[in-house]
Amino acid sequence: MKTSKRIIIVGGVAGGASCAARCRRLDENATITVIDRGPYVSFANCGLPYYVGDVIKDEGKLLVANAALFRDRFNIEVRTKNEVTAIDRTSSEIEIKELETGRVYREPYDALVLAPGAAAVRPPLPGIDLPGIFVLRTIPDSRRIREWIAEKNAQRAIIIGAGFIGLEMAENLVHRGLRVTVVEMLDQVMPPLDPEMAAPVRQQLEKNGVSVALGNGVAGFESGPDGAIVVNTKPGAKHTGDMVILAIGVRPETGLAKTAGLDIGERGGIRVDDQMRTNDTHIWAVGDAVETHDIITGQPTVIPLAGPANRQGRVAADAINGRPTKFRGIQGTAVCGVFGLTVASTGASEKGLRRAGIMDFEKIYLHPGHHVSYFPGAKPINIKLLFRKSDGRVLGAQAIGEAGVERRIDIIATAIQFGGTVFDLEECELCYAPQFGAAKDPVNYAGMIAANHLRGDLPLADWAALEGNGAEIVDVRDADEFAAGHIPGAINLPLNEIRQRLGELPRDREVWLYCGVGQRAYYATRTLLQLGYKVRNLPGGWRTYLDLIAAKP
Ligand code: FAD
């Protein structure tokens, strides 16, 4: 008689729930049990900031599935409020504590999947345990924050950390009517972005009334007057609020794995192979708890995102069921809304490449409209594309704008998955009608600019070398635009006059051209190159210059 395989999954949210459901789809006979110490499984943690902000009003909407649905639809047993406290690898059993009764019991497994997620970082700073200091990870966390706002009639919130969750919370608390200060240790918001791409995000926060304190590592917390909390920062600043949200990142939940002797990687996540198997052939691990590899740098990485957690859950289920499968690695494709701006990125950032010691790269900036300019409502998208100098392979992209942003990043993310180059981006055939895009889509433009550079048709200058390089800086915008603001030391030679005023340009040194966003400077570059001038183009033009200036600490 065929015995049924006993599959136990620890953690029933993104990685665990998707693994459990796929295991059932692959094996109708398996005994599948999901164990979670929390009161819910399969809840939408990504929706929590919007529940706090009252955008999602009904808590029940956050529950994507519950124990009854798992039982009835998938024949999967879900045990909530049960914590797995130990793994006995010799007997292939786990030890479980039923949290409501304290009862401790054991369950045998044939395959064990660890999907315990990550814990919000709560550094041991003075005053960290004061009431009113919250993290946001679970539905009960969000409920506590909502209750605090209501009970204390909170008016001022301090958010520590300007990453995705910190900024989503800023927007949502402003939506609730609170005055919000974001305190960040780095000199920029949105740490995954490069500083000049993050600068417009900071400006957007400030435009919407959020105070942003950069370069403000937190030193500790203390009680203030009338129940307030004072956040003391290392540079000596004090920020006072009625509540504090700690959003300074997460740490993989590796306690169980460590005590069971499973390998932990150098970035602190559970080490797995490309089938999500740990160093024990009967134990898999998925989601925020694991360390995988970055597909651009090849280095080990821990990136807490729902998409990879779900895919890893499927891969583990396939592997448990003997299917050929492979997790390809992670590229960190992410998106965030900040007061009407969409901020999205995929692959490596410039600082990430430099940190990884990868110097074979080039970058371009562009600011195309999200659809043709003649159709009402076109909004610019600010794009940075990173690509390999030696072969044009796309390495990463960041984009910001009010519309059409995530679509472009998703296209570039797919190109990265397929090992695409800037020459592929030039050729992408994408949807176009006036209200949706352009016959030359922003993605095509990005490819063309980068490919033109690699072919030598559009030599690019490096903004970092702007000062003291000996080049003549030439602004090819019209005189009124130049008068309204220009790069210090630049001369003005409008594009339409350039052929008549060639004598004003030096032949013995480089000429660096710029315009508003790059297009007019490109036309001028082509003309001057063919006339024998040594020309370079400052990518992204005046608009990028302003972002670079705004990013300076
Ligand atoms: P989790 O979803 O954290 O689930 C782990 C579960 O394991 C928990 O329920 C926990 O109770 C349980 N558990 C842990 N240890 C034990 C144990 N010993 N015994 C029993 N149970 C245990 N990602 C995005 O891609 N986009 C977003 O917009 C986004 N927004 C987010 C917003 C917030 C506020 C948060 C907190 C996260 C957000 N994320 C987002 C990240 C995303 O939610 C996570 O990457 C994803 O949920 C990870 O899935 P997981 O299965 O690894 O872990």
Side-chain angles (χ1 to χ4, degrees):
M1 196 183 88
K2 197 178 166 204
T3 54
S4 82
K5 189 187 278 174
R6 292 161 306 186
I7 303 171
I8 297 187
I9 297 164
V10 184
V13 191
S18 70
C19 182
R22 175 118 180 115
C23 279
R24 172 57 74 226
R25 292 196 293 278
L26 298 180
D27 184 352
E28 190 54 28
N29 292 314
T31 304
I32 304 172
T33 311
V34 174
I35 299 175
D36 202 298
R37 65 183 172 202
Y40 308 105
V41 286
S42 213
F43 65 91
N45 18 22
C46 308
L48 295 177
Y50 301 91
Y51 175 52
V52 173
D54 239 3
V55 176
I56 299 170
K57 292 188 190 300
D58 175 1
E59 188 183 289
K61 299 270 186 216
L62 297 169
L63 301 173
V64 181
N66 57 23
L69 184 136
F70 273 102
R71 184 194 58 223
D72 297 345
R73 187 165 296 172
F74 300 117
N75 186 23
I76 291 171
E77 187 195 354
V78 170
R79 292 182 208 163
T80 53
K81 300 182 190 165
N82 276 256
E83 180 167 12
V84 177
T85 47
I87 304 167
D88 182 343
R89 290 169 55 195
T90 318
S91 63
S92 291
E93 286 182 327
I94 52 169
E95 182 187 274
I96 305 162
K97 186 174 180 188
E98 200 174 48
L99 295 176
E100 281 182 335
T101 62
R103 178 176 77 99
V104 175
Y105 61 103
R106 292 167 78 91
E107 284 286 352
Y109 64 84
D110 298 309
L112 177 67
V113 181
L114 302 178
V121 172
R122 263 191 104 103
L125 294 169
I128 188 84
D129 293 323
L130 282 173
I133 302 180
F134 300 96
V135 297
L136 180 63
R137 187 78 208 162
T138 61
I139 292 180
D141 288 340
S142 61
R143 212 181 279 152
R144 278 190 282 273
I145 297 171
R146 284 174 63 99
E147 284 165 4
W148 184 271
I149 294 172
E151 283 165 18
K152 308 285 176 191
N153 188 22
Q155 306 286 324
R156 300 162 299 174
I158 313 287
I159 294 171
I160 316 287
F164 289 82
I165 294 175
L167 297 195
E168 286 179 351
M169 283 305 294
E171 175 177 314
N172 278 288
L173 291 176
V174 168
H175 187 247
R176 292 278 311 246
L178 278 82
R179 285 200 308 284
V180 174
T181 302
V182 174
V183 175
E184 165 62 53
M185 180 177 69
L186 300 177
D187 286 330
Q188 66 167 91
V189 301
M190 276 296 177
L193 299 187
D194 289 322
E196 72 282 16
M197 299 301 288
V201 183
R202 190 197 72 223
Q203 290 164 339
Q204 183 77 353
L205 288 162
E206 288 169 345
K207 254 189 242 163
N208 284 276
V210 176
S211 302
V212 182
L214 299 178
N216 264 243
V218 173
F221 306 88
E222 57 190 11
S223 300
D226 303 325
I229 303 161
V230 180
V231 180
N232 295 314
T233 69
K234 287 180 186 155
K238 286 183 184 294
H239 305 279
T240 304
D242 304 316
M243 58 186 291
V244 171
I245 308 282
L246 282 177
I248 50 177
V250 294
R251 193 174 295 124
E253 282 274 10
T254 52
L256 264 183
K258 258 188 208 156
T259 36
L262 299 177
D263 284 352
I264 304 298
E266 63 194 72
R267 303 296 312 277
I270 303 170
R271 182 172 282 151
V272 289
D273 64 14
D274 57 15
Q275 295 198 322
M276 309 314 296
R277 199 187 301 252
T278 66
N279 56 311
D280 183 315
T281 50
H282 298 285
I283 305 179
W284 284 257
V286 302
D288 288 359
V290 305
E291 180 168 315
T292 58
H293 73 277
D294 181 308
I295 67 167
I296 303 293
T297 65
Q299 296 184 346
T301 190
V302 175
I303 301 184
L305 285 171
N310 275 277
R311 294 203 312 281
Q312 290 167 356
R314 285 173 57 88
V315 167
D318 284 357
I320 289 166
N321 285 283
R323 294 208 168 193
T325 182
K326 189 175 169 184
F327 183 68
R328 296 178 182 188
I330 209 159
Q331 67 190 81
T333 307
V335 64
C336 181
V338 183
F339 294 103
L341 267 192
T342 307
V343 183
S345 61
T346 185
S349 61
E350 180 176 349
K351 63 186 175 186
L353 289 172
R354 289 186 192 280
R355 225 177 6 240
I358 297 172
M359 299 312 289
D360 177 15
F361 75 88
E362 292 272 4
K363 61 187 173 208
I364 57 153
Y365 301 91
L366 62 159
H367 310 272
H370 89 286
H371 61 52
V372 287
S373 56
Y374 68 80
F375 193 85
K379 304 284 181 195
I381 309 179
N382 185 353
I383 303 175
K384 177 175 184 177
L385 180 75
L386 293 140
F387 51 99
R388 218 149 54 189
K389 193 175 181 176
S390 49
D391 61 3
R393 178 129 179 219
V394 182
L395 299 175
Q398 299 158 47
I400 301 163
E402 291 176 43
V405 171
E406 69 285 5
R407 177 179 150 209
R408 275 55 190 221
I409 288 297
D410 278 343
I411 296 166
I412 296 173
T414 309
I416 290 175
Q417 273 281 318
F418 296 165
T421 65
V422 297
F423 308 106
D424 295 318
L425 297 188
E426 273 188 301
E427 293 297 327
C428 277
E429 186 175 311
L430 303 171
C431 292
Y432 164 57
Q435 66 274 48
F436 298 113
K440 275 188 212 154
D441 190 87
V443 171
N444 298 130
Y445 268 126
M448 287 171 194
I449 296 167
N452 281 341
H453 171 59
L454 293 181
R455 291 190 199 101
D457 291 338
L458 176 61
L460 295 177
D462 184 356
W463 283 104
L466 185 62
E467 278 160 32
N469 61 73
E472 183 79 82
I473 311 294
V474 180
D475 186 325
V476 300
R477 294 175 302 161
D478 291 342
D480 57 339
E481 293 170 275
F482 183 79
H486 57 265
I487 297 176
I491 60 164
N492 185 214
L493 206 54
L495 174 66
N496 295 354
E497 299 169 24
I498 211 155
R499 290 184 182 82
Q500 291 75 47
R501 294 173 58 184
L502 289 173
E504 295 173 40
L505 295 173
R507 281 199 174 270
D508 57 341
R509 58 198 170 98
E510 288 196 344
V511 176
W512 286 15
L513 303 173
Y514 76 93
C515 60
V517 293
Q519 193 158 23
R520 284 173 284 176
Y522 168 53
Y523 299 146
T525 301
R526 292 303 306 147
T527 300
L528 295 179
L529 270 182
Q530 293 177 67
L531 294 172
Y533 288 86
K534 296 180 201 131
V535 196
R536 287 184 188 277
N537 195 306
L538 282 159
W542 177 243
R543 178 60 224 273
T544 295
Y545 175 77
L546 292 178
D547 290 342
L548 287 160
I549 296 295
K552 286 201 172 150

